[in-house]
Amino acid sequence: MKIAFVSLNTYKPTNAPLGLVYLSTIIKQKYPSEEVRIIDANFEDVEEELKNYSPDIIGITAMTTDYGRAIKLAEKIKNIPILIGGVHITTLPNSFKDCFEIGILGEGEYILLDLIKIYKKHNQFPKEELKKITGLLFLENEELINTGRRELIKNLDELPHPDRSLINKGYFKKEILEDGSVGIRHNLIASRGCPFECVFCSTSKFWAKKIRYHSVEYIVEEAKTLHRKYGVNYINVPDDLFLTNNKKAKELVETLKKEGLEKIKWGVQLKAELINDDLLSTLKELNVVRIGCGFESGSQKVLNYLKKGTVNLEKSKEAVRLMVKHKFLVGGSFMFAVPGETIEDMYKTLDLIKEFKKIGAKDLSTFVLTPYPGTEIWEIAKQKGKVSDDMDWDFLRQNSEDQALNPILLDDDIDIKEYHKFYKKRGELMKSFKIDIIKRDLKKRPFWVLKRAITKPKTTFNIIFKKIMYG
C-alpha cells in the first residue's frame, strides 16, 4: 500500500509540516511494509507528484486558509480515497465536502492506524466499519455522519519521535537566524493544548483546554537527533506555553548538559504574566535567545476582551523590561480591528509598541484580526454575515492587502479614512523594526544577505519588502 500525505501550507515556508511527520512515523512503525510519503507544496508540484506516485490513499492537512486549495485539489483526483484532517475540519465539521471520503477530527495518529487496518482488510472504507471508529466525518446518503471526538492521547511520550527523513532537505538549510547568527533552525513540538480561551484562537478547541507535555527525556532525545543528525543549532518551540514550570526548565538544562547539547540555541513562547526573574535566569542557562509573547493590544479594555481578563498591561510592560534586562531577543505580536476597538485604542497599541521598542524589544509584528472557525470571533463575524460555513476560504488569508486595508471586523462606526491614516502610521513604525533587522544582517552577515539575494531573489524581496509593508 502507498500512502501520500499532502501539505498545502506555504504561508511559512521555513516551518516543516511536523503534524504529517508524526502521522507518517507512526504508520511506518505500526505497518513497516507500507510505503509512506509526504508531498510538500513548498518544494513540489503537488498534482504532478501525486500523479507520478500513484498512491492508494491520500491524506491532506489543512488550516482554514488552505481549505479552499484542499477542495480544489481533491476535486481533481478520481478513484483514490482522500482523507482530510487538521484544525479547519475539526473546528468546522459542517464544511465537509463530498470530494473527501473521510474527515479526521483532532489528533489523528491512532485514528489513522484504525483506518489503515480497515483498508488493508477491505481495500476500501465500508461505512459500517467507519461508524465503529470515534473521530471521523463521512457522508452516507448525503447525510453528514460525525462519530464524535476521540479521547486525547494521555501520554504523549508513547508517540514515536517524528522521523524527519520524510521531509524535504530544504528545511535544514543554513540561514540568518533571529538573533543575527547563521545556523540551521527547526521546530520541536514539546506539548499539545492550551488552558486559556482567547476569543481569537482555536487551539483549545482543537487540542482541548488541558495542556499535555512531553517528558524532558523525550524532548532531549529529539533535540539530540536534530542537532547530531541534521545539524540543527537553533530549536524553535512553537507551543503556546513552553516551560512555564521553572523546576522542569532546570531539569531540561541539566539533562541537555549531560548530553553535551547545552550550546543549542532555543526560541520559545511564553505568557507575559508568567515571566519572572527566576524563570528567565533558568531560560538563560538553557541558552534561550528569543522569547515571544502575544501582547495583542495597548488598550486594557481590548485586552480584557481578547484574553478574557487574564492579561494585565502593566505586567506585560514589566515582562518586556525583565526580558531585555536578561538580554533576550523580545518577540511579540499585536492585532488591530478588534470588535469594540476604537481608533483611540489602536493608537494606544502603537504607543505601547513605541514604548517596547524604547525599552529594547526588537522583533515585534502586527496583524489585522482574522476570524477563524472554533473561536468566539468567528461567531461574531458569522452573525454579521462576513463569513459562513461555505465561503471562499482564500478570503481569510492574513497579510493580504485587502484584509489589511478593509478589515473584516472593523467596527462600523469607524471612519475608514481615519483607519487608513492610522494604518499608514502603523506601517511607518513597523518598517523601522524591519529596517533595523536588515541593517543588522548587512552589518553582521553581508555575505549571507548577498548570497540570499543572488540565489533566492524572490524570497529576498518577500523578506525585505513585504514584511516591511505588512509588519
Side-chain angles (χ1 to χ4, degrees):
M1 185 195 307
K2 296 166 74 174
I3 304 165
F5 287 112
V6 176
S7 173
L8 297 171
N9 185 7
T10 55
Y11 178 61
K12 286 189 176 180
T14 57
N15 287 352
L18 286 183
L20 294 183
V21 181
Y22 271 99
L23 299 178
S24 302
T25 304
I26 201 167
I27 290 172
K28 285 183 65 182
Q29 182 191 65
K30 180 69 175 179
Y31 299 105
S33 62
E34 310 305 342
E35 188 177 332
V36 184
R37 179 180 170 188
I38 295 174
I39 298 174
D40 191 335
N42 280 315
F43 299 97
E44 301 164 285
D45 182 320
V46 172
E47 289 183 45
E48 188 65 26
E49 290 303 317
L50 284 173
K51 182 180 178 181
N52 294 337
Y53 187 55
S54 187
D56 298 289
I57 300 173
I58 297 172
I60 304 175
T61 184
M63 297 191 299
T64 296
T65 49
D66 298 321
Y67 192 57
R69 297 171 68 192
I71 292 170
K72 290 174 185 176
L73 175 63
E75 288 175 339
K76 294 178 182 178
I77 298 167
K78 307 300 179 184
N79 304 318
I80 302 174
I82 301 174
L83 318 180
I84 181 73
V87 66
H88 176 83
I89 201 64
T90 300
T91 54
L92 196 64
N94 287 341
S95 64
F96 184 80
K97 298 292 184 182
D98 61 8
C99 55
F100 306 115
E101 184 148 346
I102 300 169
I104 295 175
L105 304 174
E107 289 179 320
E109 285 89 354
Y110 292 130
I111 296 173
L112 266 170
L113 293 183
D114 288 344
L115 289 173
I116 291 172
K117 184 178 179 180
I118 290 174
Y119 193 85
K120 283 173 69 69
K121 182 178 180 180
H122 300 279
N123 204 34
Q124 60 179 323
F125 294 109
K127 298 291 192 290
E128 291 307 311
E129 294 293 325
L130 295 181
K131 290 175 183 177
K132 300 175 186 177
I133 299 177
T134 307
L136 299 182
L137 294 173
F138 57 91
L139 291 170
E140 184 178 46
N141 300 322
E142 298 186 358
E143 178 188 357
L144 181 62
I145 306 298
N146 185 331
T147 64
R149 291 291 295 271
R150 181 169 292 207
E151 186 178 347
L152 295 170
I153 300 168
K154 292 180 180 178
N155 178 17
L156 292 181
D157 281 7
E158 68 187 45
L159 296 173
H161 289 283
D163 179 2
R164 290 175 172 82
S165 68
L166 292 163
I167 55 177
N168 195 285
K169 292 180 180 178
Y171 287 117
F172 300 103
K173 288 188 176 180
K174 287 185 177 181
E175 59 179 309
I176 298 178
L177 302 172
E178 293 160 323
D179 65 343
S181 64
V182 171
I184 298 174
R185 172 189 182 276
H186 202 81
N187 283 357
L188 182 153
I189 298 172
S191 66
R192 295 181 179 183
C194 179
F196 302 101
E197 292 186 285
C198 300
V199 299
F200 56 88
C201 180
S202 62
T203 296
S204 62
K205 300 294 188 300
F206 183 78
W207 295 117
K209 286 181 67 175
K210 184 179 180 180
I211 188 166
R212 295 159 293 147
Y213 293 96
H214 280 295
S215 67
V216 166
E217 291 75 19
Y218 188 101
I219 294 170
V220 170
E221 188 62 31
E222 193 165 333
K224 186 196 302 183
T225 300
L226 282 170
H227 183 62
R228 294 178 182 171
K229 185 175 181 179
Y230 298 101
V232 173
N233 59 352
Y234 185 108
I235 294 177
N236 180 62
V237 182
D239 306 12
D240 292 279
L241 294 166
F242 178 57
L243 289 184
T244 53
N245 183 312
N246 199 24
K247 182 180 178 182
K248 187 172 182 178
K250 288 180 178 180
E251 185 183 348
L252 181 57
V253 170
E254 293 307 313
T255 310
L256 285 167
K257 285 180 179 178
K258 288 177 183 177
E259 293 289 344
L261 301 170
E262 67 274 11
K263 291 185 179 180
I264 295 175
K265 296 178 181 180
W266 296 76
V268 304
Q269 308 293 319
L270 288 176
K271 189 172 173 61
E273 278 64 32
L274 302 176
I275 290 174
N276 56 59
D277 270 310
D278 287 343
L279 178 60
L280 292 180
S281 295
T282 304
L283 294 182
K284 204 67 184 177
E285 281 189 75
L286 181 59
N287 207 21
V288 169
V289 296
R290 180 189 185 275
I291 299 174
C293 299
F295 297 115
E296 316 310 356
S297 178
S299 162
Q300 187 63 56
K301 177 194 79 176
V302 175
L303 273 178
N304 289 343
Y305 170 67
L306 289 172
K307 300 209 168 189
K308 298 189 174 180
T310 65
V311 173
N312 180 277
L313 197 54
E314 291 307 313
K315 180 63 179 173
S316 293
K317 294 178 182 179
E318 178 60 19
V320 172
R321 293 188 193 98
L322 287 174
M323 288 186 284
V324 170
K325 184 183 84 170
H326 285 268
K327 295 183 168 44
F328 289 102
L329 174 63
V330 179
S333 58
F334 299 84
M335 60 179 63
F336 301 108
V338 175
E341 184 182 36
T342 64
I343 285 289
E344 289 74 21
D345 291 323
M346 295 182 194
Y347 278 107
K348 285 181 181 179
T349 299
L350 287 193
D351 289 340
L352 184 64
I353 293 172
K354 291 175 186 176
E355 183 177 345
F356 282 1
K357 185 177 183 183
K358 190 174 181 181
I359 294 171
K362 299 183 183 298
D363 188 17
L364 305 180
S365 56
T366 63
F367 302 91
V368 169
L369 177 63
T370 303
Y372 290 117
T375 68
E376 292 183 28
I377 291 295
W378 174 265
E379 295 305 319
I380 291 172
K382 199 172 179 180
Q383 290 168 11
K384 291 187 173 185
K386 303 287 188 179
V387 298
S388 71
D389 294 357
D390 186 15
M391 60 180 287
D392 177 4
W393 302 107
D394 290 344
F395 176 66
L396 297 177
R397 285 185 174 273
Q398 285 190 352
N399 285 351
S400 69
E401 186 174 2
D402 186 59
Q403 260 274 61
L405 297 177
N406 300 285
I408 295 173
L409 290 172
L410 186 71
D411 273 12
D412 294 336
D413 56 356
I414 290 181
D415 186 320
I416 193 66
K417 290 182 180 179
E418 287 300 310
Y419 170 76
H420 287 165
K421 189 185 298 183
F422 154 78
Y423 198 77
K424 183 179 180 181
K425 291 183 178 180
R426 176 222 65 93
E428 292 168 355
L429 175 59
M430 301 316 296
K431 182 178 179 180
S432 68
F433 284 96
K434 304 306 174 185
I435 288 175
D436 287 346
I437 291 173
I438 293 166
K439 285 180 178 178
R440 179 204 68 189
D441 291 348
L442 284 170
K443 184 177 180 180
K444 284 188 172 182
R445 310 290 175 184
F447 169 76
W448 281 93
V449 176
L450 180 62
K451 180 181 177 182
R452 184 168 57 189
I454 293 172
T455 58
K456 293 185 177 181
K458 191 174 180 180
T459 303
T460 306
F461 174 86
N462 179 63
I463 292 171
I464 295 177
F465 293 99
K466 288 189 177 179
K467 284 191 176 183
I468 287 175
M469 282 294 294
Y470 300 120

